[in-house]
Amino acid sequence: MAADSIEHMDHSRSKQSYNRFTKLAPHGALVALAALIVLSAVLVMGLHAADAAQGGPTPTPAATTTPEDDGPLTQADLVWFTGNVARPNGMVWLDDLIYVICEGDKTIYKLYGTSGATDTYIYGILDAHTLYAEEDGDGNVLLWVPDYRAGKLLLITVGGVETVASALAGPWGIVPLGSTNFLISDHLAGTVEFISRTGERQTFVEGLARPTGLEYDGSLLYVANSGASERAIEWYELVATRGDEPHVGDVLVRGLEDVMALRIGPDDKLYFAYDEEGLGVIGRVDPAVCRENDGCGPDEIERVVMTDMDAPLAGLTFAPDGRLFFHERYGERLYWAQAIEE
């Protein structure tokens, strides 16, 4: 039953009870009843305010520990806010704002990073796991979105939604490559493609196992293989240009299940979300160390956040002050933790 129907029914029942009472009760009882109603309203408002204070957005960290000090953060260390986004599936930070994709109503929302206040940004996205945000020379925000369900790369501005490339099988991750190209993982095709900002396409990597998140540090590409535990994260040198043969990657991290989002933090470490016994975990490694050692295993991964949420986690994005934002995929609560010391 819809919430408004329940509310109407409760109101009707209250009105009927009040009418019956007024026929039987003396004037003094009516005064007492009015006082009781006012007191109840005050108590309810107080409870709502307390809930908001406990669960609402906070500009300073609730966590009193960081992974470097006392081991991984846990669910109790996380700060959450709803952001009025019912089914989020991917977000990115840009200039103190968080842009969040909502699969539930096919909308991108704009959230303020310290308050959680939410504005509707634009409609027209079916479902996307990641997005890339930038400003053009005039200060306008450009959002590049691989729409997984539509099979398209979209360019979104305040003026509308433009299709840049179509007929993709299942685009997932996106990173910029210079000023003219993107690298985009295709979860269903098992590839990473070059796609230019005008829509030209060429395969860069093929034969991957359900690739998801991508990250690029300016010279090396990192790819999450969600379907290959022993090649959970691979790395590739980008010394080649468009037109060369597809590359074969080296293993960066092995022995993890369902690696999803990747993000390089302000500390230059690689952060990633994965599945540990059904629960969502965020870990990190020093990519240089893993490359030197021909890959890192599970025992060499530093667990940053261990949650009580079902895997997979999504939407990893950093604020400059070291706050790491993420959420349970399609879960209405958005979370952050102070993953790095300021």
Side-chain angles (χ1 to χ4, degrees):
M1 182 178 295
D4 56 350
S5 299
I6 295 173
E7 183 180 355
H8 177 74
M9 181 181 294
D10 290 342
H11 176 74
S12 298
R13 289 173 179 169
S14 299
K15 185 175 180 181
Q16 292 169 6
S17 299
Y18 176 81
N19 289 340
R20 287 197 298 270
F21 184 84
T22 55
K23 291 178 181 178
L24 301 174
H27 178 71
L30 291 177
V31 173
L33 176 62
L36 180 60
I37 291 173
V38 171
L39 178 61
S40 299
V42 171
L43 289 173
V44 170
M45 290 175 64
L47 290 173
H48 283 311
D51 288 343
Q54 292 176 5
T58 309
T60 56
T64 56
T65 182
T66 57
E68 296 92 335
D69 298 329
D70 304 311
L73 302 173
T74 66
Q75 191 77 32
D77 296 312
L78 306 182
V79 180
W80 68 266
F81 56 97
T82 62
N84 296 323
V85 181
R87 286 177 58 82
N89 189 24
M91 58 186 176
V92 67
W93 176 284
L94 180 67
D95 293 337
D96 295 328
L97 295 172
I98 303 171
Y99 295 88
V100 183
I101 298 166
C102 179
E103 184 270 346
D105 57 11
K106 321 307 179 193
T107 301
I108 292 180
Y109 288 93
K110 181 172 67 176
L111 279 68
Y112 294 84
T114 55
S115 71
T118 307
D119 293 331
T120 300
Y121 191 69
I122 199 166
Y123 298 95
I125 310 302
L126 295 186
D127 190 17
H129 303 277
T130 59
L131 67 165
Y132 172 69
E134 64 182 359
E135 290 184 349
D136 65 12
D138 298 321
N140 301 308
V141 174
L142 307 178
L143 301 178
W144 301 84
V145 181
D147 192 319
Y148 183 83
R149 191 178 301 178
K152 297 178 179 180
L153 172 62
L154 304 175
L155 169 59
I156 296 169
T157 66
V158 291
V161 179
E162 173 188 343
T163 297
V164 177
S166 58
L168 302 171
W172 192 296
I174 180 171
V175 290
L177 187 62
S179 60
T180 57
N181 296 314
F182 292 100
L183 288 167
I184 294 180
S185 61
D186 195 307
H187 185 71
L188 299 181
T191 61
V192 174
E193 288 194 33
F194 288 106
I195 301 183
S196 77
R197 292 177 182 236
T198 54
E200 293 84 7
R201 298 170 53 186
Q202 183 170 328
T203 300
F204 174 66
V205 181
E206 56 189 7
L208 297 168
R210 300 198 300 276
T212 52
L214 298 178
E215 188 57 291
Y216 178 54
D217 67 3
S219 61
L220 301 175
L221 174 70
Y222 301 100
V223 181
N225 263 328
S226 70
S229 173
E230 291 309 304
R231 301 183 67 86
I233 303 176
E234 297 183 1
W235 66 275
Y236 297 82
E237 286 190 274
L238 292 182
V239 295
T241 59
R242 287 168 55 98
D244 292 329
E245 293 297 320
H247 289 45
V248 176
D250 293 306
V251 175
L252 186 80
V253 177
R254 63 174 62 87
L256 299 182
E257 300 293 333
D258 293 327
V259 176
M260 295 289 173
L262 300 182
R263 187 68 62 185
I264 294 176
D267 56 357
D268 295 325
K269 293 185 178 180
L270 182 67
Y271 291 72
F272 42 89
Y274 62 98
D275 182 325
E276 191 170 278
E277 297 183 353
L279 297 179
V281 177
I282 298 173
R284 69 181 171 196
V285 296
D286 184 330
V289 172
C290 292
R291 293 195 307 270
E292 291 170 3
N293 295 335
D294 297 323
C296 289
D299 294 340
E300 299 165 284
I301 295 166
E302 183 181 6
R303 289 165 176 80
V304 179
V305 183
M306 301 184 70
T307 75
D308 297 335
M309 295 179 277
D310 292 337
L313 302 178
L316 270 65
T317 187
F318 272 100
D321 61 9
R323 284 178 296 157
L324 175 60
F325 292 80
F326 58 93
H327 58 86
E328 185 178 18
R329 188 173 165 192
Y330 302 131
E332 67 180 29
R333 288 186 176 183
L334 308 178
Y335 294 87
W336 63 265
Q338 192 72 42
I340 304 171
E341 292 276 12
E342 292 188 62

